[in-house]
Amino acid sequence: MRKLVRIIFFVMPYLLSLFLPPFNAAGAAVDSLTCGKQCMKRGQYKHALSDFQMAVKKSPKSCEGHLLLGQVYCKLKQYKNGKEQLRLAIRYGHGSTNAQQANVEMMKLPQELIAPKTGPETQKLATILSTQSGGGNSPRPTVIDFYATWCNPCQQLHTILEKAKVEYGDKLAVIRVDVDDEKNQNLIDQYDVSPIPTLVYLDAHGQVVSFSVGYPGEAAINQELKKILASGL
């Protein structure tokens, strides 16, 4: 009898492997996403939250997973968590449909959550950036343009800022930061930039004076430029 039990103990895993499909993390993540989507449709947001958390745990760089997790956090009014997940969706999506949708969702967040961060560290960083971008060793009023190649409003802003560079010359530093370039992630994190396009206006001391999210229009941009240029006089 003992011999039979030992045989079953050693043989059973092999027999099970013949009839059960192998575990696949990506497949499990897809199943979690499917279940979560169904829960979302039924308004069962807490159940969906659990499913989407499981999905991104199994596929940490899934743009769709982070998008859905961000959306359900927002449904539950946990906006700060939602923001972080939507940022990850943009980071991992590299211009995909899901990444663009995450950017749209981010635009809906409360204004205080999408305001760029400012403080001693960002002031020091802005001073370094403005001097490195040309125009001598003195820090200057600076505009940091956070953009992506797939973002249409970003192209409109680029045209306006190019005109400003010609008009103001060395009095103004314009720095473009591609959010899809991994080399820029530290800068993006330091300013805590969320949706794009985001323009950050800094005075000659590196202090954030104002910011804009989306396309504010040429008149609004020129008005903000005049504010920061006055600080450099």
Side-chain angles (χ1 to χ4, degrees), residues 3-4 15 38 62 64-65 75 79 84 111-112 116-117 123 151 156 166 177 180-181 202 209 213-214 226:
K3 187 175 181 180
L4 179 61
L15 293 175
Q38 292 171 350
S62 166
E64 184 182 17
K75 288 287 187 183
Y79 297 117
E84 292 308 312
Q111 190 77 357
E112 63 271 16
K117 187 166 57 179
Q123 283 181 261
C151 165
Q156 294 174 283
V166 173
V177 179
D180 284 335
D181 189 336
L202 306 110
V209 174
V213 174
K226 288 176 182 177

Side-chain angles (χ1 to χ4, degrees), residues 129-131 133-134 140-144 165 169-175 228:
L129 289 171
S130 67
T131 53
S133 63
R140 297 168 291 160
T142 302
V143 182
I144 305 180
K165 283 169 65 176
D170 290 342
K171 295 178 182 177
L172 177 71
V174 178
I175 299 165
I228 61 172

Side-chain angles (χ1 to χ4, degrees), residues 25-38 47-48 50-56 58 68:
V30 171
D31 288 341
S32 296
L33 290 179
T34 301
C35 292
K37 288 176 185 177
Q38 292 171 350
H47 290 297
S50 178
D51 287 326
F52 295 148
Q53 285 174 330
M54 186 181 300
V56 298
K58 291 170 181 173
L68 292 168

Side-chain angles (χ1 to χ4, degrees), residues 106-185:
M106 193 101 68
M107 294 279 189
K108 302 174 186 176
L109 291 171
Q111 190 77 357
E112 63 271 16
L113 279 181
I114 59 176
K117 187 166 57 179
T118 182
E121 288 303 314
T122 54
Q123 283 181 261
K124 182 179 178 182
L125 178 62
T127 301
I128 294 170
L129 289 171
S130 67
T131 53
Q132 286 180 343
S133 63
N137 296 321
S138 300
R140 297 168 291 160
T142 302
V143 182
I144 305 180
D145 175 17
F146 293 92
Y147 77 100
T149 55
W150 46 265
C151 165
N152 289 329
C154 296
Q155 306 309 317
Q156 294 174 283
L157 290 179
H158 178 56
T159 301
I160 295 169
L161 292 174
E162 284 297 303
K163 287 168 61 177
K165 283 169 65 176
V166 173
E167 181 177 353
Y168 298 114
D170 290 342
K171 295 178 182 177
L172 177 71
V174 178
I175 299 165
R176 301 195 80 210
V177 179
D178 184 351
V179 299
D180 284 335
D181 189 336
E182 287 297 326
K183 293 182 294 186
N184 294 328
Q185 291 308 320

